[in-house]
Amino acid sequence: MAVLSFSSLHAQQGNAARGERNFRACAACHSLERDRNMTGPSLADLWGRRAGTLPSFDRFSDALKSSGLTWDDRTLDQWLTDPKHLVPGNEMTFEGIKEDPARADLLAFLKEATKPSAAPSQSAQQGQRGGMGGMMGGMMGGADPNLKALEPGIHVKTISYCRDTYRVTTADGKTRAFWERNLRFRTDTSKDGPGKDAPALLGAGMMGDRAAVIFSAPEEIMKFVERRC
Ligand code: HEC
């Protein structure tokens, strides 16, 4: 218990101005505007919210939804120290902030900026449009493998679309959910492209949150994408 109260003391002593700069590590995936969801859920009104329950965000992992956590100084401090340790199996691709002062600053900033009355500040907004997103999007580069013979894990069977989410089911029975702006649809009609009606899911294993589906022809795209909730 001594450790826990030490953490919340830190949260109170953090420097919000410095914390705002640290928020840039989060801004590629999170906004502070209510219900403006990106790769991750909006963080508006975070304190006192139960983890994984924001109604406008459709992509929470089962791990986070069933964590039983309520976000406060203490749980957020633990989450940001080591998300995987606090909620094994969660889908936030972020390794954590190990330095206590940096975390305390960030929490001090977030506590103010996520209050219902808070207007998102100019520089936090800029962070959201900053270079991070592009940097993370860069993982798709490099030579694509030949897609004629697909492994079950990347062989796409169905794609459904609901609100802002695509759900891609592959031949191994797995279904992955993507924010619509994180999933690209591409075609490859060359000899290395996928077979007819056998599109391939690429990139999903690397960052987890962005990927592309490669089709053998553009007509296949609308044939595969089915509006269904
Ligand atoms: C690469 C994208 C990404 C980055 C960077 C990122 N997050 Fe997340 N975050 C997510 C995703 C995705 C989830 C949902 C995880 C799940 O459902 O398992 C999430 C969940 C959360 C939640 C839980 C929200 C809720 O409603 O339960 C909090 C709090 C959070 N992130 C804070 C942060 C903070 C603070 C940072 C920066 C230090 C950060 N995240 C960095 C993608 C990201």
Side-chain angles (χ1 to χ4, degrees):
M1 268 335 227
V3 177
L4 300 183
S5 46
F6 181 67
S7 311
S8 46
L9 195 69
H10 261 296
Q12 276 150 25
Q13 287 176 343
N15 176 317
R18 279 199 307 258
E20 180 166 2
R21 289 196 291 276
N22 300 346
F23 182 70
R24 289 185 191 155
C26 327
C29 296
H30 291 288
S31 96
L32 299 169
E33 263 171 68
R34 181 163 305 133
D35 292 331
R36 183 164 163 252
N37 299 313
M38 300 163 70
T39 302
S42 160
L43 298 183
D45 307 326
L46 185 62
W47 263 254
R49 180 157 111 195
R50 281 174 64 85
T53 61
L54 182 68
S56 61
F57 187 74
D58 290 335
R59 292 178 295 279
F60 284 115
S61 63
D62 292 339
L64 195 62
K65 283 194 281 200
S66 61
S67 68
L69 294 169
T70 297
W71 296 123
D72 59 22
D73 291 348
R74 185 173 61 85
T75 53
L76 283 167
D77 188 57
Q78 294 173 341
W79 174 247
L80 295 183
T81 305
D82 190 349
K84 275 196 208 68
H85 180 76
L86 184 65
V87 182
N90 85 79
E91 288 172 6
M92 171 157 126
T93 5
F94 184 75
E95 68 282 9
I97 302 172
K98 305 301 172 206
E99 305 78 24
D100 291 352
R103 227 169 40 244
D105 290 347
L106 177 58
L107 283 171
F109 165 71
L110 273 182
K111 197 168 186 176
E112 283 307 310
T114 59
K115 278 186 181 156
S117 54
S121 81
Q122 198 59 31
S123 48
Q125 287 291 81
Q126 275 163 7
Q128 284 167 19
R129 291 187 205 105
M132 292 267 311
M135 205 174 79
M136 293 186 167
M139 46 66 91
M140 308 277 307
D144 285 343
N146 181 301
L147 300 176
K148 279 280 170 329
L150 297 177
E151 277 162 29
I154 65 168
H155 178 171
V156 174
K157 297 303 265 186
T158 63
I159 305 173
S160 69
Y161 177 71
C162 177
R163 297 214 281 181
D164 66 347
T165 301
Y166 286 107
R167 289 192 171 74
V168 180
T169 303
T170 40
D172 59 356
K174 283 215 181 86
T175 298
R176 298 177 185 78
F178 298 93
W179 178 35
E180 58 184 359
R181 285 187 52 174
N182 283 347
L183 187 67
R184 304 170 198 199
F185 292 144
R186 300 199 271 175
T187 52
D188 186 349
T189 54
S190 80
K191 62 174 174 36
D192 289 330
K196 192 173 178 310
D197 291 326
L201 178 68
L202 290 190
M206 297 158 87
M207 281 295 289
D209 58 4
R210 286 163 198 256
V213 180
I214 323 281
F215 297 86
S216 73
E219 295 76 37
E220 265 179 43
I221 299 176
M222 285 319 294
K223 204 163 90 186
F224 264 83
V225 177
E226 192 197 342
R227 265 186 198 273
R228 169 162 52 83
C229 286

